[in-house]
């Protein structure tokens, strides 16, 4: 997977991971992949819903030691 940008949103609470992801995604080209790192459990539902409603594709998500990682492709 070719990651264009990494957004470290660890220690940020809802809705900040989504706000930061939206801002970062605006700076990216269609088809590029954004990796988002969060520690907020609510981000699982929030980022998934935001990606879908914004026309982006959630390629993968995982959790390791309390850190949630999301791979979102700009639509």
């Amino acid at each position: 997977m070719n990651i264009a940008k990494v957004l470290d949103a660890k220690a940020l609470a809802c809705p900040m991971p989504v706000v930061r992801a939206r801002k970062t995604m605006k700076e990216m080209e269609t088809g590029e992949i954004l990796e988002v790192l969060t520690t907020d459990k609510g981000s699982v539902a929030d980022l998934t819903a935001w990606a879908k409603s914004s026309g982006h594709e959630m390629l993968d998500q995982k959790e390791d030691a309390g850190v949630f990682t999301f791979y979102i492709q700009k639509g």
Side-chain angles (χ1 to χ4, degrees), residues 25-45:
M25 198 64 89
K26 286 181 180 179
E27 301 166 356
M28 297 173 62
E29 300 294 325
T30 300
E32 289 185 322
I33 298 171
L34 173 64
E35 178 182 58
V36 183
L37 307 170
T38 73
T39 50
D40 180 19
K41 291 179 184 178
S43 294
V44 175

Side-chain angles (χ1 to χ4, degrees), residues 10-28:
K10 294 182 291 220
L12 296 177
C14 180
M16 291 312 295
V18 172
V19 171
R20 297 266 175 95
R22 182 175 59 226
K23 182 180 178 190
T24 303
M25 198 64 89
K26 286 181 180 179
E27 301 166 356
M28 297 173 62

